[in-house]
Amino acid sequence: MKVSRSTHIALKPETVWAEVQTAGLLQHIAWPLVRFEPVSSTSFDRFRPGGRYQVKLRLFGVIPLGTQWIVTSLHEADGTEWPKRLRDNGRSALISKWDHWITVTPDPNGGTHYSDDVDVSAGFLTPFIWAFAQIFYWHRQRRWRGLAKSLAARRVIAAEMAAYRSAVEAGDDDRAWHHLERVHIMSQPHLGPHLASHGAMLRFAIRQRDWGEALGQILRIILAPLGALTGRLPVGNTGRSNVSAFAPMPVPDDLQLEMDQPDQVNR
């Protein structure tokens, strides 16, 4: 049985194509419906031609659904021609065929036309797996559209979090806080990353036994959803308890450049 779903993603097709080849994208758009856990030490960062990746599936991140093979191949037209396609011809003990094709092509009105086409076979379970796949790919595409609004910021956040972890390992607390503040500046417009930034600050404050900072972070975690609902977010605010939670602050030039040059396009 086949599942076919298409959507418009407000990102450049080159950006979408680069992202669909990453395991991080899969984890993000499948969450919280399904979580993938690598079984072996095989690198699970990018999907390469001829790649074979065995993963454990967990429904809602908790309920075991067994293991599945993700078997990938890339199908690209010569040069810069479109469409570009990624295939996962996977299977598991219960599902004998999960032939999934992702097709990425420029949308004539701007952005990207994105489609998931899946051929499923699982014996007498096929109708049930097909019904789940309908929900799963609807959910994935909805998450994709939401991610398009924050992708550029998330890339900067990931780089800053890596720099933060490096500073912590080096025992440089001031530099660690500096990178967490930059994470907060970039994450403010996006509630999930915004809450995560304060969560990281809270954990670091507790690690330092800085209870005043920890209390301030708890307060900001409570306030963040209200700010998102009202749209009253102080641009450039570093998120620390040593500054007012409501005070706008200058945005560092390099972060401002990232904010001014997003991948997102208007349709």
Side-chain angles (χ1 to χ4, degrees), residues 64-205:
L65 293 178
T67 61
Q68 179 159 335
W69 282 98
I70 298 175
V71 183
T72 56
S73 57
L74 304 182
H75 302 261
E76 302 180 71
D78 293 336
T80 58
E81 295 182 10
W82 301 89
K84 299 182 186 295
R85 307 181 77 195
L86 183 147
R87 183 187 190 188
D88 168 20
N89 192 15
R91 65 186 185 280
S92 68
L94 292 177
I95 303 172
S96 58
K97 182 179 184 181
W98 186 281
D99 192 4
H100 174 209
W101 289 81
I102 294 174
T103 303
V104 176
T105 190
D107 191 303
N109 297 317
T112 299
H113 181 79
Y114 174 96
S115 64
D116 291 299
D117 296 284
V118 193
D119 192 359
V120 176
S121 181
F124 73 92
L125 291 175
T126 298
F128 302 99
I129 302 298
W130 173 86
F132 174 78
Q134 291 279 8
I135 297 170
F136 182 54
Y137 285 101
W138 169 83
H139 170 77
R140 281 174 47 134
Q141 292 188 3
R142 180 183 63 85
R143 291 273 291 174
W144 233 131
R145 293 191 298 270
L147 177 63
K149 301 174 183 178
S150 62
L151 183 60
R154 287 176 185 271
R155 288 174 173 170
V156 177
I157 290 167
E160 292 295 333
M161 285 300 297
Y164 156 72
R165 288 189 288 270
S166 177
V168 171
E169 291 175 2
D172 190 339
D173 292 348
D174 289 342
R175 185 161 62 91
W177 276 117
H178 169 72
H179 289 295
L180 285 180
E181 289 173 355
R182 287 167 61 85
V183 167
H184 181 266
I185 291 168
M186 289 300 296
S187 69
Q188 271 197 112
H190 314 288
L191 180 57
H194 188 191
L195 288 170
S197 75
H198 285 298
M201 287 183 171
L202 174 60
R203 289 190 295 273
F204 192 48

Side-chain angles (χ1 to χ4, degrees), residues 181-182 184-185 188 220 233-253 255-256 259:
E181 289 173 355
R182 287 167 61 85
H184 181 266
I185 291 168
Q188 271 197 112
R220 283 158 176 77
L233 295 166
V235 174
N237 189 282
T238 60
R240 295 285 302 280
S241 63
N242 59 359
V243 300
S244 168
F246 308 101
M249 301 173 69
V251 177
D253 291 343
L255 296 186
Q256 187 65 61
M259 293 177 178

